[in-house]
PDB file of all heavy atoms in Angstrom:
ATOM      1  N   LEU A  17      -8.501 -24.757  -4.730  1.00  0.00           N
ATOM      2  CA  LEU A  17      -9.560 -23.736  -4.810  1.00  0.00           C
ATOM      3  C   LEU A  17      -9.277 -22.682  -3.725  1.00  0.00           C
ATOM      4  O   LEU A  17     -10.185 -22.273  -3.007  1.00  0.00           O
ATOM      5  CB  LEU A  17     -10.973 -24.354  -4.667  1.00  0.00           C
ATOM      6  CG  LEU A  17     -11.359 -25.323  -5.797  1.00  0.00           C
ATOM      7  CD1 LEU A  17     -12.609 -26.117  -5.445  1.00  0.00           C
ATOM      8  CD2 LEU A  17     -11.613 -24.502  -7.091  1.00  0.00           C
ATOM      9  N   GLY A  18      -8.043 -22.250  -3.644  1.00  0.00           N
ATOM     10  CA  GLY A  18      -7.681 -21.159  -2.727  1.00  0.00           C
ATOM     11  C   GLY A  18      -8.078 -19.830  -3.367  1.00  0.00           C
ATOM     12  O   GLY A  18      -8.953 -19.755  -4.253  1.00  0.00           O
ATOM     13  N   VAL A  19      -7.335 -18.799  -3.029  1.00  0.00           N
ATOM     14  CA  VAL A  19      -7.730 -17.495  -3.459  1.00  0.00           C
ATOM     15  C   VAL A  19      -7.570 -17.347  -5.004  1.00  0.00           C
ATOM     16  O   VAL A  19      -8.363 -16.685  -5.628  1.00  0.00           O
ATOM     17  CB  VAL A  19      -6.947 -16.374  -2.711  1.00  0.00           C
ATOM     18  CG1 VAL A  19      -5.487 -16.346  -3.019  1.00  0.00           C
ATOM     19  CG2 VAL A  19      -7.560 -15.009  -2.938  1.00  0.00           C
ATOM     20  N   ILE A  20      -6.566 -18.020  -5.570  1.00  0.00           N
ATOM     21  CA  ILE A  20      -6.358 -17.946  -7.046  1.00  0.00           C
ATOM     22  C   ILE A  20      -7.260 -18.995  -7.727  1.00  0.00           C
ATOM     23  O   ILE A  20      -8.075 -18.580  -8.625  1.00  0.00           O
ATOM     24  CB  ILE A  20      -4.900 -18.201  -7.414  1.00  0.00           C
ATOM     25  CG1 ILE A  20      -3.975 -17.135  -6.766  1.00  0.00           C
ATOM     26  CG2 ILE A  20      -4.710 -18.234  -8.953  1.00  0.00           C
ATOM     27  CD1 ILE A  20      -4.090 -15.755  -7.336  1.00  0.00           C
ATOM     28  N   GLY A  21      -7.135 -20.249  -7.382  1.00  0.00           N
ATOM     29  CA  GLY A  21      -8.001 -21.244  -8.037  1.00  0.00           C
ATOM     30  C   GLY A  21      -9.459 -20.983  -7.841  1.00  0.00           C
ATOM     31  O   GLY A  21     -10.262 -21.141  -8.792  1.00  0.00           O
ATOM     32  N   GLY A  22      -9.829 -20.493  -6.644  1.00  0.00           N
ATOM     33  CA  GLY A  22     -11.245 -20.173  -6.413  1.00  0.00           C
ATOM     34  C   GLY A  22     -11.731 -18.987  -7.272  1.00  0.00           C
ATOM     35  O   GLY A  22     -12.807 -19.020  -7.802  1.00  0.00           O
ATOM     36  N   SER A  23     -10.857 -18.034  -7.474  1.00  0.00           N
ATOM     37  CA  SER A  23     -11.219 -16.877  -8.302  1.00  0.00           C
ATOM     38  C   SER A  23     -11.390 -17.342  -9.785  1.00  0.00           C
ATOM     39  O   SER A  23     -12.295 -16.878 -10.468  1.00  0.00           O
ATOM     40  CB  SER A  23     -10.176 -15.802  -8.223  1.00  0.00           C
ATOM     41  OG  SER A  23     -10.059 -15.272  -6.932  1.00  0.00           O
ATOM     42  N   VAL A  24     -10.485 -18.183 -10.216  1.00  0.00           N
ATOM     43  CA  VAL A  24     -10.592 -18.721 -11.617  1.00  0.00           C
ATOM     44  C   VAL A  24     -11.936 -19.481 -11.732  1.00  0.00           C
ATOM     45  O   VAL A  24     -12.645 -19.296 -12.733  1.00  0.00           O
ATOM     46  CB  VAL A  24      -9.388 -19.647 -11.961  1.00  0.00           C
ATOM     47  CG1 VAL A  24      -9.654 -20.334 -13.277  1.00  0.00           C
ATOM     48  CG2 VAL A  24      -8.089 -18.826 -11.995  1.00  0.00           C
ATOM     49  N   ALA A  25     -12.223 -20.353 -10.767  1.00  0.00           N
ATOM     50  CA  ALA A  25     -13.456 -21.157 -10.821  1.00  0.00           C
ATOM     51  C   ALA A  25     -14.668 -20.263 -10.890  1.00  0.00           C
ATOM     52  O   ALA A  25     -15.549 -20.489 -11.734  1.00  0.00           O
ATOM     53  CB  ALA A  25     -13.515 -22.068  -9.586  1.00  0.00           C
ATOM     54  N   LEU A  26     -14.724 -19.253 -10.044  1.00  0.00           N
ATOM     55  CA  LEU A  26     -15.901 -18.369 -10.010  1.00  0.00           C
ATOM     56  C   LEU A  26     -16.036 -17.617 -11.355  1.00  0.00           C
ATOM     57  O   LEU A  26     -17.126 -17.447 -11.906  1.00  0.00           O
ATOM     58  CB  LEU A  26     -15.818 -17.384  -8.867  1.00  0.00           C
ATOM     59  CG  LEU A  26     -16.002 -17.980  -7.468  1.00  0.00           C
ATOM     60  CD1 LEU A  26     -15.673 -16.875  -6.422  1.00  0.00           C
ATOM     61  CD2 LEU A  26     -17.426 -18.477  -7.261  1.00  0.00           C
ATOM     62  N   ALA A  27     -14.936 -17.133 -11.852  1.00  0.00           N
ATOM     63  CA  ALA A  27     -14.966 -16.360 -13.136  1.00  0.00           C
ATOM     64  C   ALA A  27     -15.339 -17.205 -14.262  1.00  0.00           C
ATOM     65  O   ALA A  27     -16.151 -16.785 -15.176  1.00  0.00           O
ATOM     66  CB  ALA A  27     -13.576 -15.713 -13.340  1.00  0.00           C
ATOM     67  N   LEU A  28     -14.819 -18.420 -14.386  1.00  0.00           N
ATOM     68  CA  LEU A  28     -15.180 -19.319 -15.498  1.00  0.00           C
ATOM     69  C   LEU A  28     -16.634 -19.694 -15.465  1.00  0.00           C
ATOM     70  O   LEU A  28     -17.364 -19.731 -16.465  1.00  0.00           O
ATOM     71  CB  LEU A  28     -14.287 -20.587 -15.546  1.00  0.00           C
ATOM     72  CG  LEU A  28     -12.854 -20.385 -15.969  1.00  0.00           C
ATOM     73  CD1 LEU A  28     -12.104 -21.714 -15.854  1.00  0.00           C
ATOM     74  CD2 LEU A  28     -12.752 -19.820 -17.328  1.00  0.00           C
ATOM     75  N   LYS A  29     -17.122 -19.992 -14.164  1.00  0.00           N
ATOM     76  CA  LYS A  29     -18.530 -20.331 -14.047  1.00  0.00           C
ATOM     77  C   LYS A  29     -19.417 -19.202 -14.502  1.00  0.00           C
ATOM     78  O   LYS A  29     -20.387 -19.411 -15.211  1.00  0.00           O
ATOM     79  CB  LYS A  29     -18.737 -20.655 -12.556  1.00  0.00           C
ATOM     80  CG  LYS A  29     -20.215 -21.058 -12.226  1.00  0.00           C
ATOM     81  CD  LYS A  29     -20.290 -21.679 -10.879  1.00  0.00           C
ATOM     82  CE  LYS A  29     -21.736 -21.953 -10.479  1.00  0.00           C
ATOM     83  NZ  LYS A  29     -22.465 -20.703 -10.141  1.00  0.00           N
ATOM     84  N   GLU A  30     -19.045 -17.975 -14.139  1.00  0.00           N
ATOM     85  CA  GLU A  30     -19.843 -16.790 -14.565  1.00  0.00           C
ATOM     86  C   GLU A  30     -19.906 -16.735 -16.118  1.00  0.00           C
ATOM     87  O   GLU A  30     -20.866 -16.143 -16.661  1.00  0.00           O
ATOM     88  CB  GLU A  30     -19.161 -15.501 -14.109  1.00  0.00           C
ATOM     89  CG  GLU A  30     -19.501 -15.115 -12.686  1.00  0.00           C
ATOM     90  CD  GLU A  30     -18.954 -13.701 -12.290  1.00  0.00           C
ATOM     91  OE1 GLU A  30     -18.460 -13.001 -13.209  1.00  0.00           O
ATOM     92  OE2 GLU A  30     -19.038 -13.363 -11.134  1.00  0.00           O
ATOM     93  N   ARG A  31     -18.868 -17.201 -16.740  1.00  0.00           N
ATOM     94  CA  ARG A  31     -18.768 -17.171 -18.228  1.00  0.00           C
ATOM     95  C   ARG A  31     -19.344 -18.403 -18.885  1.00  0.00           C
ATOM     96  O   ARG A  31     -19.126 -18.619 -20.092  1.00  0.00           O
ATOM     97  CB  ARG A  31     -17.366 -16.857 -18.670  1.00  0.00           C
ATOM     98  CG  ARG A  31     -16.957 -15.394 -18.411  1.00  0.00           C
ATOM     99  CD  ARG A  31     -15.492 -15.185 -18.323  1.00  0.00           C
ATOM    100  NE  ARG A  31     -15.150 -13.808 -17.974  1.00  0.00           N
ATOM    101  CZ  ARG A  31     -15.287 -13.318 -16.772  1.00  0.00           C
ATOM    102  NH1 ARG A  31     -15.738 -14.019 -15.739  1.00  0.00           N
ATOM    103  NH2 ARG A  31     -14.958 -12.056 -16.508  1.00  0.00           N
ATOM    104  N   GLY A  32     -19.985 -19.264 -18.127  1.00  0.00           N
ATOM    105  CA  GLY A  32     -20.679 -20.408 -18.647  1.00  0.00           C
ATOM    106  C   GLY A  32     -19.778 -21.606 -18.955  1.00  0.00           C
ATOM    107  O   GLY A  32     -20.187 -22.526 -19.652  1.00  0.00           O
ATOM    108  N   VAL A  33     -18.547 -21.614 -18.449  1.00  0.00           N
ATOM    109  CA  VAL A  33     -17.634 -22.719 -18.678  1.00  0.00           C
ATOM    110  C   VAL A  33     -17.879 -23.743 -17.495  1.00  0.00           C
ATOM    111  O   VAL A  33     -17.999 -23.350 -16.362  1.00  0.00           O
ATOM    112  CB  VAL A  33     -16.172 -22.276 -18.700  1.00  0.00           C
ATOM    113  CG1 VAL A  33     -15.189 -23.466 -18.856  1.00  0.00           C
ATOM    114  CG2 VAL A  33     -15.971 -21.197 -19.777  1.00  0.00           C
ATOM    115  N   ASN A  34     -17.931 -25.017 -17.836  1.00  0.00           N
ATOM    116  CA  ASN A  34     -18.013 -26.042 -16.772  1.00  0.00           C
ATOM    117  C   ASN A  34     -16.687 -26.111 -15.991  1.00  0.00           C
ATOM    118  O   ASN A  34     -15.623 -26.167 -16.619  1.00  0.00           O
ATOM    119  CB  ASN A  34     -18.272 -27.446 -17.368  1.00  0.00           C
ATOM    120  CG  ASN A  34     -19.620 -27.466 -18.087  1.00  0.00           C
ATOM    121  OD1 ASN A  34     -20.587 -26.849 -17.608  1.00  0.00           O
ATOM    122  ND2 ASN A  34     -19.643 -28.227 -19.185  1.00  0.00           N
ATOM    123  N   VAL A  35     -16.785 -26.154 -14.708  1.00  0.00           N
ATOM    124  CA  VAL A  35     -15.616 -26.197 -13.859  1.00  0.00           C
ATOM    125  C   VAL A  35     -15.753 -27.368 -12.910  1.00  0.00           C
ATOM    126  O   VAL A  35     -16.828 -27.616 -12.370  1.00  0.00           O
ATOM    127  CB  VAL A  35     -15.473 -24.926 -13.008  1.00  0.00           C
ATOM    128  CG1 VAL A  35     -14.369 -25.070 -11.957  1.00  0.00           C
ATOM    129  CG2 VAL A  35     -15.192 -23.736 -13.886  1.00  0.00           C
ATOM    130  N   VAL A  36     -14.729 -28.177 -12.822  1.00  0.00           N
ATOM    131  CA  VAL A  36     -14.643 -29.220 -11.758  1.00  0.00           C
ATOM    132  C   VAL A  36     -13.473 -28.959 -10.917  1.00  0.00           C
ATOM    133  O   VAL A  36     -12.307 -28.950 -11.393  1.00  0.00           O
ATOM    134  CB  VAL A  36     -14.595 -30.645 -12.341  1.00  0.00           C
ATOM    135  CG1 VAL A  36     -14.680 -31.678 -11.199  1.00  0.00           C
ATOM    136  CG2 VAL A  36     -15.660 -30.864 -13.376  1.00  0.00           C
ATOM    137  N   GLY A  37     -13.634 -28.720  -9.630  1.00  0.00           N
ATOM    138  CA  GLY A  37     -12.523 -28.358  -8.766  1.00  0.00           C
ATOM    139  C   GLY A  37     -12.191 -29.530  -7.785  1.00  0.00           C
ATOM    140  O   GLY A  37     -12.945 -30.417  -7.603  1.00  0.00           O
ATOM    141  N   PHE A  38     -10.984 -29.456  -7.279  1.00  0.00           N
ATOM    142  CA  PHE A  38     -10.568 -30.345  -6.231  1.00  0.00           C
ATOM    143  C   PHE A  38      -9.752 -29.591  -5.230  1.00  0.00           C
ATOM    144  O   PHE A  38      -8.806 -28.831  -5.652  1.00  0.00           O
ATOM    145  CB  PHE A  38      -9.738 -31.522  -6.777  1.00  0.00           C
ATOM    146  CG  PHE A  38      -9.129 -32.340  -5.682  1.00  0.00           C
ATOM    147  CD1 PHE A  38      -9.896 -33.219  -4.915  1.00  0.00           C
ATOM    148  CD2 PHE A  38      -7.781 -32.253  -5.375  1.00  0.00           C
ATOM    149  CE1 PHE A  38      -9.347 -33.957  -3.877  1.00  0.00           C
ATOM    150  CE2 PHE A  38      -7.229 -32.964  -4.326  1.00  0.00           C
ATOM    151  CZ  PHE A  38      -8.034 -33.808  -3.601  1.00  0.00           C
TER     152      PHE A  38
END
Side-chain angles (χ1 to χ4, degrees):
Chain A
L17 295 168
V19 68
I20 300 290
S23 297
V24 172
L26 289 172
L28 287 179
K29 182 168 173 283
E30 276 188 9
R31 285 158 184 77
V33 178
N34 296 324
V35 170
V36 186
F38 171 73

